[in-house]
Amino acid sequence: MIIAIEGIDGAGKNTIVKRIVEEYGADTLSFPRYEDSLHAQLAQDALYGKMGDLVDSAYGMATMFALDRFGAKAQLEQYQDTQDRILLLDRYVASNAAYTAARTGDDAAAEWVAELEFGKLGLPKPDLQVLVATSPSVARERAQRREAQDATRTRDHYERDGGLQDATFAQYNRLAETDWASRWISTSDATAIIQAIQNAR
């Protein structure tokens, strides 16, 4: 099974992933893959102002993040159509859909992302998507505290934009409410997430 854990920056995705790994011994993969992917590294440079006006293009940035995932396609496909192996993804295609729709102000951008990643690039759809539904204000406080405590966690262009985080959270809710691409649950309760995984197996 492929299970995507989604949410805005500071929502607590990593904490949820660790809890599920403890419960199931699941494999994990985080996107963007900044250490392994050239496309992710270029996107990261853009987020820190090192790639000229690339960061200003919502579709340009979305394409870079999509190509990062495409580089992991073979790994992702190993978990398709099997119930005895679980791959937990810390962000996946819905992240691109939510941020792109939020940046453009156009709900149709989410469908553009779906066609790019699930269509043209042929990435597998997740079996379950989980929105860690932490409010933007709480998530923002967590991200700021994390930055203050760890010099390596400096917030990027997206993370510093409170309006973008609010708009992205609204887009994530829209995706979850419509079961965009596959089934969703929306909760910040790790126990509820674990129960949903058990029900999906």
Side-chain angles (χ1 to χ4, degrees), residues 21 47 56 62 78 97 130 135 146 167 185:
V21 168
L47 288 170
D56 297 328
Q78 295 175 21
V130 178
S135 72
R146 185 178 62 196
I185 63 168

Side-chain angles (χ1 to χ4, degrees), residues 14 16-17 32 34 47 51 56-57 72 96 122 124-126 133 143 146 189 197:
N14 189 255
I16 295 291
V17 167
Y34 290 131
L47 288 170
M51 293 293 290
D56 297 328
S57 171
N96 218 4
K125 290 185 177 181
R146 185 178 62 196
D189 181 359
I197 292 171

Side-chain angles (χ1 to χ4, degrees), residues 5-8 10-17 19-20 129-136 138-139 142 169 173 176 184-196:
I5 309 298
E6 299 285 356
I8 59 175
K13 296 181 298 299
N14 189 255
T15 300
I16 295 291
V17 167
R19 171 78 185 276
I20 298 171
Q129 299 180 86
V130 178
L131 173 58
V132 183
T134 304
S135 72
V138 171
R142 287 178 180 171
F169 184 68
N173 279 314
W184 284 74
I185 63 168
S186 177
T187 180
S188 55
D189 181 359
T191 301
I193 295 169
I194 289 170
Q195 184 62 52

